[in-house]
Amino acid sequence: MGFKVAIAGATGNVGREMLNILAERGFPADEIVPLASARSQGTEVSYGDRTLKVSNLENYDFSDTDICLMSAGGDVSKKWSPKIGQQGCVVIDNSSAWRYDQDVPLIVPEVNADAVEGFSRKNIIANPNCSTAQLVVALKPLHDFAKIKRVVVSTYQSVSGAGKEGMDELFQQTRAVFVADPVETKKFTKRIAFNVIPHIDVFMEDGYTKEEWKVLAETKKMLDPKIKVTCTAVRVPVFIGHSESVNIEFENEITADQARDILREAPGCLVIDKHENGGYITPVESAGEDATYISRIREDATVENGLNIWVVSDNLRKGAALNAIQIAELLVNRGLIKPRKAAA
Ligand code: 11C
């Protein structure tokens, strides 16, 4: 007997990727239920070689569903996740609604799998922001070896982080530039085609953006609250794949060669670091892949124990859908949940 899994937000970029990944990885599900708002009821989505019809989240009874993969935005999650959790269904939420709640574990399985045990307080587990997920996968093995003191991150984030509308806007603006039509701006604050925008999510009082704040808060929660983190988050005209330039200062000595060897062995990491033309990863190559890629590993001679690295990953996969499904696999593999239908 397998699990019954609902996907809330099944028609979005991440929801569709969740369906793909559940099928690809052979997640032990007997039943998959795609859910969305009333507007999308009846829409067809693919799950492996099957086509499933989307049901309305508002009318769905979660009482015999084991896991709800929630990717329907923060407002929907704030309203629905506690209700779903109370019905005994574990919610794995992709929004930022629960990430900073002390009673909700925030999990990247390669980094802090043991923290998942606290999930039953609310039956909600949070998935991190995409830019944090790939960052902590790369930082964790280096922190274990030489203890990180401070991290300076500059992100180069693809438009798919802003959903399908973000992707459509890059496509339409690029076309408009080529055919000399007027360029319309809706989702982003400035033109994104042939441009970069140093602004993701809302501005906070201190002048940082919420996206930048998330990277610090989430890295501290998952990896180590003592690590100092600062971030500049930038949107770039790339469809899929977030890139990050990461400067790291350590307590203890670590060479670039040691870091390369450590990252080669680290779970979830793939090192592509040849000192030659093209011997590094770019976001286009990361799209559709599961790994967090690390390139350009260099010592930073301006500080005592410093490194620079370049980190790239598919933001819809490791940054969202894949990580959520790895959390579900963690629950199953540790025997923390059992199919409820089997118990009935
Ligand atoms: C972006 N990182 O690229 C954002 C998308 O808190 O889950 C994900 C926002 C979040 O725009």
Side-chain angles (χ1 to χ4, degrees):
M1 172 66 86
F3 293 87
K4 184 169 179 184
V5 180
I7 294 102
T11 56
N13 272 347
V14 173
R16 286 178 193 270
E17 206 61 56
M18 283 169 164
L19 286 158
N20 291 338
I21 295 171
L22 284 167
E24 271 169 36
R25 292 171 76 93
F27 186 83
D30 275 356
E31 203 177 336
I32 298 284
V33 187
L35 301 171
S37 63
R39 198 166 28 98
S40 299
Q41 189 168 354
T43 304
E44 292 188 338
V45 289
S46 300
Y47 167 63
D49 52 14
R50 290 167 56 197
T51 301
L52 306 177
K53 273 208 164 53
V54 171
S55 302
N56 184 354
L57 168 67
E58 304 260 342
N59 304 332
Y60 184 71
D61 175 4
F62 283 88
S63 57
D64 68 352
T65 300
D66 302 296
I67 299 169
C68 175
L69 301 171
M70 171 78 76
S71 188
D75 292 340
V76 174
S77 178
K78 274 185 199 142
K79 177 174 170 193
W80 283 95
S81 296
K83 294 182 192 171
I84 300 169
Q86 275 160 16
Q87 289 186 63
C89 173
V90 182
V91 178
I92 302 174
D93 180 41
N94 191 47
S95 81
S96 59
W98 303 97
R99 289 181 192 149
Y100 319 109
D101 184 319
Q102 285 189 337
D103 290 331
V104 173
L106 173 65
I107 302 292
V108 169
E110 295 88 341
V111 174
N112 64 338
D114 289 346
V116 82
E117 310 271 342
F119 81 94
S120 58
R121 290 196 287 272
K122 283 198 168 133
N123 264 355
I124 303 174
I125 302 170
N127 211 28
N129 183 16
C130 35
S131 23
T132 320
Q134 64 184 67
L135 177 68
V136 292
V137 167
L139 292 183
K140 163 75 176 160
L142 301 176
H143 185 51
D144 287 347
F145 182 81
K147 202 150 187 236
I148 295 173
K149 282 203 309 208
R150 178 169 183 257
V151 181
V152 183
V153 192
S154 303
T155 72
Y156 303 72
Q157 295 182 223
S158 68
V159 294
S160 55
K164 186 176 173 306
E165 294 136 307
M167 299 176 86
D168 290 346
E169 189 152 319
L170 173 58
F171 182 83
Q172 279 151 12
Q173 289 185 354
T174 305
R175 188 193 156 280
V177 169
F178 273 114
V179 300
D181 272 354
V183 174
E184 282 181 35
T185 298
K186 281 186 252 160
K187 183 78 188 170
F188 300 115
T189 51
K190 299 214 177 197
R191 183 176 116 181
I192 186 65
F194 307 99
N195 200 9
V196 297
I197 306 174
H199 170 196
I200 299 177
D201 210 329
V202 295
F203 273 91
M204 316 227 352
E205 267 184 17
D206 60 4
Y208 282 80
T209 62
K210 187 86 184 278
E211 181 78 5
E212 292 161 350
W213 177 83
K214 284 174 186 173
V215 172
L216 347 178
E218 295 173 23
T219 301
K220 283 170 178 282
K221 181 164 175 175
M222 287 187 285
L223 192 54
D224 187 338
K226 293 202 201 82
I227 296 177
K228 292 181 186 160
V229 186
T230 188
C231 179
T232 301
V234 180
R235 187 76 69 198
V236 296
V238 166
F239 282 104
I240 294 175
H242 285 1
S243 308
E244 296 174 339
S245 161
V246 188
N247 178 265
I248 316 163
E249 201 180 333
F250 297 87
E251 292 270 345
N252 305 314
E253 198 181 327
I254 178 168
T255 64
D257 284 343
Q258 283 171 322
R260 211 170 282 114
D261 288 346
I262 290 163
L263 290 166
R264 277 206 180 102
E265 298 297 317
C269 295
L270 204 64
V271 174
I272 298 189
D273 193 22
K274 293 190 192 142
H275 299 170
E276 60 188 38
N277 294 346
Y280 41 79
I281 194 85
T282 63
V284 166
E285 296 145 310
S286 78
E289 301 294 330
D290 289 348
T292 293
Y293 293 91
I294 299 129
S295 303
R296 308 290 327 279
I297 302 167
R298 292 149 288 153
E299 281 151 35
D300 172 6
T302 66
V303 290
E304 200 173 347
N305 300 309
L307 288 179
N308 283 307
I309 61 174
W310 173 247
V311 181
V312 181
S313 195
D314 181 330
N315 51 298
L316 302 177
R317 289 177 79 93
K318 186 58 192 168
L322 171 66
N323 196 68
I325 289 155
Q326 286 178 306
I327 295 172
E329 291 170 348
L330 187 63
L331 292 171
V332 172
N333 294 340
R334 291 196 174 194
L336 296 169
I337 55 167
K338 297 268 179 278
R340 291 203 283 173
K341 269 199 169 159

